[in-house]
Amino acid sequence: MEMIGTVAFACSGAMVAIEKRLDLLGIIVLGETTAVGGGMIRDIIIGIHPPALFVDPIYVIASFVAVMVLFVAVKYFYRSADILESPMYEAVLNLLDAIGLGAFTVVGIDTAVGAGFGDYKFLMVFLGVITGVGGGILRDMMAGQTPAVLRKHVYACASIAGAVCYVVLMNYIGESGAMVVSAVLVTLIRVLARHYKWNLPRAL
């Protein structure tokens, strides 16, 4: 589950960097930050020092490979910048973002349980959400845009719904079943929100 989220978020971060016309280093940095940033924030909060990404860099390596494959594919198969304006590009970006959000939300809670915080329901939900949205927030800030979590198609609400679903179901169908159901729920909410243009109300 964590590898799925890592690859999906690495590609979504790289796609944002490509859209912003960043160079190769910028694309790698945004891809890596999106993929491992949320997990790093989670580890710092619950006292895992150094964060897991520095101890076991397998996910850093996986996200680097995913970013490089995407970079080569865009550079050599889509030579025109028109791809950045196409509906397909936005659809793929949103789908990858949705998959990454779902996977990392449940991975965050699973990490909390493994660290001995299984009795603290609010903390579990919070860690799931921060793992899911943390990398995207860092990505958007580095890309110079308002984080999607604050403006886009019930982004954080999908993560919250999935986190609450995990905490409720884990006592009935086990952690593995709860992870799968909750990850699918988050992804489905995000996909439907984009399709039907669901948004939270604004003041103006």
Side-chain angles (χ1 to χ4, degrees):
M1 189 72 74
E2 190 161 5
M3 186 60 72
I4 291 172
T6 297
V7 172
F9 262 170
C11 291
S12 76
M15 291 177 74
V16 170
I18 292 170
E19 189 175 353
K20 292 292 183 178
R21 305 295 205 278
L22 302 187
D23 62 13
L24 178 57
L25 178 61
I27 294 170
I28 293 172
V29 169
L30 252 65
E32 293 278 4
T33 299
T34 310
V36 301
M40 182 178 66
I41 296 172
R42 173 202 64 216
D43 289 350
I44 292 172
I45 290 174
I46 61 177
I48 298 178
H49 299 136
L53 73 96
F54 298 110
V55 177
D56 183 10
I58 182 63
Y59 298 110
V60 176
I61 296 170
S63 58
F64 175 79
V65 172
V67 168
M68 291 307 299
V69 170
L70 180 66
F71 175 81
V72 171
V74 172
K75 183 171 180 62
Y76 294 102
F77 292 96
Y78 298 98
R79 297 177 181 273
S80 172
D82 293 342
I83 184 66
L84 301 177
E85 308 298 331
S86 69
M88 182 192 73
Y89 191 88
E90 183 185 358
V92 171
L93 175 59
N94 277 276
L95 179 60
L96 290 170
D97 222 22
I99 294 172
L101 182 64
F104 273 130
T105 296
V106 298
V107 165
I109 299 177
D110 186 63
T111 302
V113 173
F117 297 103
D119 294 329
Y120 302 95
K121 306 302 183 185
F122 177 75
L123 178 61
M124 292 165 63
V125 171
F126 178 79
L127 290 174
V129 174
I130 202 65
T131 305
V133 306
I137 290 175
L138 295 175
R139 172 200 67 200
D140 291 343
M141 291 174 63
M142 294 173 70
Q145 59 189 26
T146 303
V149 65
L150 302 178
R151 59 179 170 82
K152 190 176 183 181
H153 303 321
V154 296
Y155 195 97
C157 293
S159 181
I160 294 171
V164 172
C165 178
Y166 185 116
V167 170
V168 171
L169 291 181
M170 63 183 291
N171 294 323
Y172 297 97
I173 62 175
E175 293 176 17
S176 297
M179 284 184 73
V180 174
V181 172
S182 301
V184 171
L185 175 64
V186 175
T187 304
L188 185 61
I189 292 174
R190 285 287 297 120
V191 170
L192 291 176
R194 177 185 179 275
H195 180 75
Y196 291 107
K197 308 298 182 186
W198 294 341
N199 286 293
L200 295 177
R202 299 178 180 179
L204 296 174

